[in-house]
Amino acid sequence: MFVAMEYTNHDFSDLDKKQYLQTFGRFQVTLERGEGSHVWDIEGNEYIDALAGIAVNVLGHNHPNLVKAIREQAGKLLHISNFYLSVPQAMLSKKLIELSGLDRVFITNSGAETVEGAIKIARKYAHSIGRGGEIISFQGSFHGRTMATIAMGKTSMQKGFEPIPAGFHMVPFNDLDAVKQATSKQTAAIIIEPIQGEGGINVASEAFLKDLRTYCDEQNIVLIFDEIQCGIGRTGKMFAKDHIGVQPDIMTLAKALGGGVPIGAILSNEKVSSAMEFGDHGTTFGGNPLVTAASLAVLEAIEAENLIEEASKKGQWMRDELAKLALPSIKEIRGKGLMIGIVFDFETKPLVAKMLEKGVLANATAGNVLRLVPPLNIPIADLKRVIEVMHESVNEMKSND
Ligand SMILES: Cc1ncc(COP(=O)(O)O)c(C=O)c1O
């Protein structure tokens, strides 16, 4: 039998290096269990999880309602073909429509697959009105690692995977003139993260998103909001779009939607959805009873525990505390709610490694940004410790310079 304490983190690191496709550059920590905002590795070391599986575990780890929903559903019906109906899929779809104000739902298995589906809907609609199928995305954006989604991202992610699908153009973020210049009769859709995650927690300006909506209406271009990272309560509203009241034609969700089970959702308005016909899209696993029952439990817990308000309050508290530190190496604090990007005047990868040694999981992105996307129910005491550990780590790094 497998007994965790008989193994070390290193044992699994060695195995990983031998057997797993080496694409991640992982830390030598083998996480074994979690409770709330804490996780433990196989040697029994405890960590505060300020990363939450990169904005996935909104309810933290081992949340009783989520675990109960998964257990109950697993004992009833795990999976059926999408040729049949299920109660959890219908109830989750109803909930997502109510929350988003959009009209139709398609449940997927991951973020990138959700974005791919959104592009298919946008293209089908665009072709139906005589437009081309080109897609405009933004510098600093990240939409996934499939072929179409890398075509919308950094060129460094495309290297070695040519030929890259055609018909994708990238323009500077928050720049409407650049959007207008890149647009033609061939443009089907514009896709934007209202708050860029991987790109370094860059917030799209309110004016830009409003102007983009107006421009898309004028040109009959489909506007897609990718809320895979910023959606589901993280920013202090259910969706980041709700901060400004701009409604996209399509919205993509994943990550926190399942609180840890793999699920995504494409939400679309009736106008664009009506272009899709039988046989135009499909999935084997997407929207099965297990993941949709889990997702419903996540959304219910977010409401029952006021986690959206919590995210807003705790996010403000974090920003105030970070500002009080007045660290000269902190250049900017970006984001909304509990989607926090702390911009340093140095590369943050070593900082993240140091914080891990001191018992905090965090993430470095866009070179010099420390990304914190903890569970929405993380206690203030843990956030306080995250700040202390960050501060101590920065000081130690500076004294070693
Ligand atoms: C905004 C955004 N879109 C899409 C994706 C891709 O999601 P996945 O890794 O589940 O394919 C991510 C993942 O980080 C993301 O942050």
Side-chain angles (χ1 to χ4, degrees):
M1 202 181 78
F2 171 84
V3 181
M5 297 301 281
E6 289 176 2
Y7 291 90
T8 69
N9 285 314
H10 266 275
D11 294 329
F12 288 91
S13 179
D14 291 345
L15 267 181
D16 180 75
K17 286 196 180 104
K18 272 193 219 127
Q19 63 194 19
Y20 207 80
L21 196 66
Q22 291 294 290
T23 63
F24 287 115
R26 307 195 217 231
F27 294 106
Q28 301 206 351
V29 170
T30 307
L31 296 173
E32 207 232 343
R33 69 188 172 90
E35 190 67 44
S37 47
H38 292 226
V39 286
W40 285 262
D41 70 20
I42 206 151
E43 295 174 17
N45 301 307
E46 184 173 351
Y47 307 83
I48 296 173
D49 189 356
L51 184 59
I54 316 190
V56 167
N57 307 87
V58 260
L59 304 181
H61 301 274
N62 204 17
H63 189 285
N65 297 13
L66 177 55
V67 172
K68 183 167 173 267
I70 292 171
R71 284 208 170 110
E72 282 181 4
Q73 190 58 50
K76 244 197 252 172
L77 187 67
L78 271 184
H79 178 82
I80 52 169
S81 160
N82 269 307
F83 289 142
Y84 308 100
L85 307 168
S86 82
V87 177
Q89 189 186 91
M91 299 318 285
L92 177 65
S93 303
K94 182 169 182 283
K95 186 89 194 153
L96 288 174
I97 286 169
E98 279 166 13
L99 289 171
S100 68
L102 288 160
D103 303 314
R104 284 195 187 263
V105 181
F106 187 96
I107 311 279
T108 63
N109 307 282
S110 73
E113 185 205 340
T114 309
V115 175
E116 293 261 358
I119 288 166
K120 282 181 71 180
I121 298 172
R123 283 187 167 167
K124 194 77 202 293
Y125 170 73
H127 295 325
S128 77
I129 57 161
R131 297 193 70 95
E134 293 188 355
I135 311 290
I136 295 175
S137 64
F138 292 91
Q139 282 167 11
S141 64
F142 180 81
H143 300 292
R145 294 294 199 141
T146 56
M147 289 308 299
T149 54
I150 62 171
M152 291 187 276
K154 290 190 289 204
T155 44
S156 60
M157 290 194 316
Q158 301 171 0
K159 261 189 113 192
F161 301 109
E162 300 82 358
I164 301 300
F168 296 92
H169 304 286
M170 202 154 38
V171 299
F173 196 52
N174 278 331
D175 185 342
L176 192 69
D177 286 339
V179 170
K180 287 183 178 172
Q181 269 174 30
T183 308
S184 72
K185 265 298 267 176
Q186 295 310 311
T187 310
I190 298 172
I191 180 164
I192 185 164
E193 294 163 78
I195 303 181
Q196 291 184 335
E198 305 297 307
I201 318 293
N202 305 308
V203 182
S205 83
E206 192 172 324
F208 179 63
L209 290 178
K210 285 186 171 155
D211 290 349
L212 207 52
R213 178 68 276 178
T214 306
Y215 183 65
C216 286
D217 285 341
E218 286 165 7
Q219 303 288 322
N220 212 348
I221 292 170
V222 178
L223 181 59
I224 306 171
F225 281 178
D226 181 348
E227 294 230 12
I228 285 168
Q229 192 159 149
C230 59
I232 316 290
R234 175 146 303 280
T235 67
K237 296 273 184 196
M238 181 50 89
F239 305 110
K241 74 181 176 73
D242 300 339
H243 287 282
I244 42 162
V246 170
Q247 187 72 318
D249 299 296
I250 304 179
M251 177 165 69
T252 55
L253 301 174
K255 286 195 184 271
L257 181 61
V261 301
I263 183 170
I266 315 166
L267 291 150
S268 48
N269 64 20
E270 196 55 40
K271 183 178 89 168
V272 298
S273 311
S274 61
M276 295 294 275
E277 294 166 300
F278 288 133
D280 274 348
H281 201 50
T283 166
T284 295
F285 291 122
N288 82 14
L290 182 74
V291 294
T292 47
S295 177
L296 259 177
V298 171
L299 296 177
E300 281 166 11
I302 288 176
E303 281 179 352
E305 296 170 27
N306 279 328
L307 293 184
I308 298 181
E309 212 181 308
E310 291 282 300
S312 176
K313 275 199 264 173
K314 287 171 189 163
Q316 193 50 53
W317 182 88
M318 277 292 272
R319 280 172 184 77
D320 292 345
E321 293 300 303
L322 287 163
K324 275 189 219 158
L325 289 181
L327 280 182
S329 52
I330 294 183
K331 294 293 143 207
E332 200 186 344
I333 299 160
R334 295 201 287 242
K336 280 197 163 93
L338 282 177
M339 184 169 186
I340 299 173
I342 307 168
V343 187
F344 283 90
D345 62 0
F346 55 80
E347 287 267 323
T348 44
K349 253 191 188 157
L351 173 61
V352 167
K354 223 173 211 340
M355 288 173 70
L356 179 71
E357 278 169 28
K358 293 173 180 286
V360 170
L361 308 188
N363 171 254
T365 192
N368 62 344
V369 179
L370 180 74
R371 172 170 43 177
L372 302 175
V373 281
L376 305 187
N377 55 5
I378 188 170
I380 287 281
D382 283 351
L383 289 175
K384 208 168 175 186
R385 182 69 194 141
V386 170
I387 295 176
E388 274 166 19
V389 163
M390 183 201 79
H391 194 180
E392 280 167 29
S393 304
V394 170
N395 284 345
E396 282 175 28
M397 285 167 66
K398 289 282 167 193
S399 65
N400 292 339
D401 270 357

